[in-house]
């Protein structure tokens, strides 16, 4: 391979993956509280295993949420409604171990300071119309397609748990073709061969036809592209009975599929005063507007905070040699046009709303839903004009 020639892989998981179930429950609790009290302070964590869901964390609020009923409704909505998949919304045990937030943290946050220390990353590039890396966008679209054909009964034998993985070949630093697609999807025993050791060739071909082919652009497929469907042979036992689920364990799936760095803090279950979440959203918003404005073709943004302090301790821009004005000038423009204090972020992106459960599956970035305010490019023209 020459300079800029490489293979890059990203993965995604379905909403029925145990870790994503945990994320959705934690964000479901957050939404329920923000809907009643916009000043709710929430750090909610969820743990799932065989027959049990545990919800814990630190919450301070004037609102009330029926945790038991909320958890069951989310699990039902995801699709765990049949004993065929070993875990059901109406029979699992639910433990509530939520406590209150430390007043030591609150005294710094109440005056507008950051809810924690840490470094947050935002990224954008020109590989897709969403200004996202193409491997993660294709991986998310595949898992969404898995959920779609399961729910509309196109492939009625599919279960809620599943994963996708996409390997893209780059030439000269630009995506050229899809080299490998991996689909691992939970299913019933109905599509197993006579020996019960693997799915039938017919089922494999159906999954390729109904899930992969509608999603991967034709121009990126060729006769060398490899498709792996349930490469272990079968995937009957899935969900929380086969794999423990934890909030915040899919941070690369949630962000840029490994194409950009990650500060380390997970998103789900955290209210917007936690800069782990809100500042990453703001960093994405800024990076996307920098790229949309034409100032650069790629933009990585890092912001860092000290707990209890409103103003960031650092701001860094890296454009990987694709910038049309200097990176120092881009930093100046960002400081001029964006308020990156916690209060400024919350106000600009309108984050004190019950909008977060939607983010908890299929990625927090590259989405066009109205509530994903950090995906807007409404500052691009202003940046371009000022530059």
């Amino acid at each position: 391979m020459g300079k800029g020639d490489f293979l890059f892989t990203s993965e995604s998981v379905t909403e029925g993956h145990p870790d994503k179930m945990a994320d959705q429950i934690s964000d479901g609790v957050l939404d329920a509280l923000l809907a009643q009290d916009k000043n709710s302070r929430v750090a909610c964590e969820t743990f799932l295993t065989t027959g049990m869901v545990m919800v814990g964390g630190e919450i301070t609020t004037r609102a009330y949420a029926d945790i038991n009923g909320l958890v069951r409704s989310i699990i039902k909505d995801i699709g765990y409604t049949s004993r065929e998949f070993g875990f059901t919304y109406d029979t699992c045990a639910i433990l509530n171990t939520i406590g209150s937030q430390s007043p030591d943290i609150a005294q710094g946050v109440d005056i507008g300071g950051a809810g924690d220390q840490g470094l947050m990353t935002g990224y954008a590039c020109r590989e897709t119309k969403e200004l996202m890396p193409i491997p993660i966008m294709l991986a998310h679209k595949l898992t969404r397609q898995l959920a779609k054909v399961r729910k509309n009964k196109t492939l009625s034998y599919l279960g809620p748990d599943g994963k996708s993985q996409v390997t893209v070949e780059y030439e000269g630093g630009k995506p050229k073709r899809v080299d490998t697609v991996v689909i691992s999807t939970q299913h019933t025993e109905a599509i197993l061969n006579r020996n019960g050791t693997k799915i039938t060739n017919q089922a494999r071909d159906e999954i390729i036809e109904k899930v992969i082919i509608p999603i991967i652009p034709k121009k990126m497929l060729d006769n060398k592209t490899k498709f792996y469907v349930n490469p272990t042979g079968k995937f009957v036992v899935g969900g929380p009975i086969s794999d423990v689920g934890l909030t915040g364990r899919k941070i690369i799936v949630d962000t840029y599929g490994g194409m950009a760095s990650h500060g380390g803090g997970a998103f789900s279950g955290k209210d917007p005063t936690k800069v782990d979440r809100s500042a990453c959203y703001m960093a994405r918003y800024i990076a996307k507007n920098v790229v949309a404005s034409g100032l650069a073709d790629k933009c990585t943004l890092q912001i860092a905070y000290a707990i209890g302090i409103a103003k960031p301790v650092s701001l860094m821009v890296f454009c990987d040699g694709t910038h049309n004005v200097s990176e120092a000038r881009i930093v100046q423009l960002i400081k001029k046009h964006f308020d990156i204090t916690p209060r400024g972020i919350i106000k600009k992106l309108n984050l004190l709303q019950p909008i977060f459960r939607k983010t908890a599956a299929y990625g927090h970035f590259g989405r066009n839903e109205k509530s994903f305010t950090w995906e807007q490019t409404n500052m691009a023209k202003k940046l371009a004009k000022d530059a």
Side-chain angles (χ1 to χ4, degrees):
M1 287 187 171
K3 185 178 180 181
D5 298 350
F6 55 90
L7 297 174
F8 193 91
T9 302
S10 294
E11 71 158 346
S12 180
V13 298
T14 64
E15 63 206 65
H17 186 282
D19 292 332
K20 278 290 133 203
M21 293 173 69
D23 286 343
Q24 289 170 88
I25 290 168
S26 294
D27 273 339
V29 172
L30 172 61
D31 281 355
L33 299 177
L34 285 178
Q36 303 168 61
D37 177 9
K38 291 186 176 183
N39 295 315
S40 295
R41 299 284 166 74
V42 180
C44 182
E45 310 289 343
T46 303
F47 166 87
L48 298 98
T49 189
T50 303
M52 188 189 77
V53 181
M54 179 183 292
V55 183
E58 299 78 47
I59 295 177
T60 301
T61 184
R62 293 173 296 175
Y64 169 76
D66 173 12
I67 300 296
N68 189 299
L70 178 64
V71 170
R72 294 192 194 281
S73 68
I74 291 172
I75 296 171
K76 181 180 181 181
D77 187 50
I78 290 169
Y80 284 99
T81 58
S82 170
R83 286 167 178 78
E84 196 168 23
F85 296 117
F87 187 94
T88 59
Y89 77 97
D90 55 345
T91 61
C92 63
I94 298 173
L95 303 180
N96 181 352
T97 62
I98 293 172
S100 59
Q101 185 189 48
S102 165
D104 298 341
I105 296 175
Q107 70 180 7
V109 177
D110 289 344
I111 59 173
D116 202 351
Q117 70 175 44
L119 50 141
M120 295 79 203
T121 301
Y123 180 75
C125 64
R126 293 198 178 277
E127 290 183 13
T128 65
K129 62 182 176 63
E130 297 91 355
L131 302 185
M132 284 283 286
I134 195 167
I136 188 65
M137 290 306 299
L138 292 177
H140 284 322
K141 289 177 180 180
L142 286 169
T143 50
R144 282 200 158 199
Q145 183 72 1
L146 272 175
K148 179 181 176 181
V149 298
R150 169 176 63 90
K151 291 179 177 181
N152 68 17
K153 307 298 183 183
T154 298
L155 300 179
S156 59
Y157 48 76
L158 296 185
D161 196 358
K163 287 185 173 183
S164 71
Q165 186 172 284
V166 178
T167 300
V168 175
E169 180 180 335
Y170 284 74
E171 189 175 87
K174 295 185 178 181
K176 178 184 177 183
R177 57 182 289 274
V178 170
D179 182 79
T180 308
V181 178
V182 183
I183 295 290
S184 294
T185 179
Q186 189 182 21
H187 57 85
T188 68
E189 294 183 353
I191 60 168
L192 292 177
N193 63 8
R194 290 181 180 180
N195 298 326
T197 56
K198 62 180 182 179
I199 63 173
T200 64
N201 289 333
Q202 179 184 346
R204 177 186 179 275
D205 291 343
E206 283 180 345
I207 292 169
I208 291 172
E209 178 189 351
K210 302 297 184 182
V211 177
I212 299 176
I213 299 303
I215 297 302
I216 307 297
K218 278 187 178 181
K219 65 183 180 180
M220 297 196 74
L221 296 174
D222 57 33
N223 57 10
K224 293 183 179 180
T225 302
K226 299 176 285 292
F227 297 148
Y228 295 114
V229 177
N230 284 15
T232 65
K234 65 177 183 177
F235 186 0
V236 174
V237 180
I241 70 166
S242 69
D243 187 12
V244 166
L246 291 170
T247 300
R249 206 159 58 170
K250 285 288 179 283
I251 58 176
I252 299 303
V253 171
D254 284 343
T255 53
Y256 306 102
M259 190 67 80
S261 60
H262 193 289
F267 298 158
S268 290
K270 298 177 181 178
D271 74 84
T273 66
K274 278 75 172 174
V275 283
D276 272 347
R277 179 172 220 158
S278 55
C280 279
Y281 289 179
M282 190 63 165
R284 162 64 178 169
Y285 175 62
I286 296 171
K288 189 173 183 181
N289 276 274
V290 167
V291 172
S293 70
L295 298 184
D297 291 335
K298 293 181 184 178
C299 180
T300 300
L301 190 79
Q302 187 200 74
I303 313 173
Y305 295 85
I307 189 168
I309 306 299
K311 188 177 179 181
V313 298
S314 70
L315 170 65
M316 183 276 295
V317 168
F318 174 66
C319 298
D320 197 19
T322 68
H323 46 289
N324 296 311
V325 298
S326 71
E327 290 166 337
R329 177 59 178 149
I330 294 174
V331 169
Q332 290 176 343
L333 292 168
I334 291 169
K335 290 181 176 180
K336 178 179 178 180
H337 292 287
F338 298 92
D339 182 349
I340 49 180
T341 64
R343 282 181 176 172
I345 293 169
I346 290 168
K347 182 179 179 181
K348 180 66 175 180
L349 300 181
N350 195 22
L351 295 180
L352 294 180
Q353 308 292 328
I355 58 173
F356 295 105
R357 187 189 155 194
K358 285 183 181 179
T359 69
Y362 311 115
H364 293 246
F365 307 128
R367 307 274 291 271
N368 59 11
E369 290 97 322
K370 186 178 179 180
S371 59
F372 286 63
T373 53
W374 48 93
E375 290 298 314
Q376 297 174 1
T377 54
N378 52 3
M379 294 294 290
K381 289 182 179 179
K382 188 173 288 188
L383 288 174
K385 183 178 179 180
D386 203 5

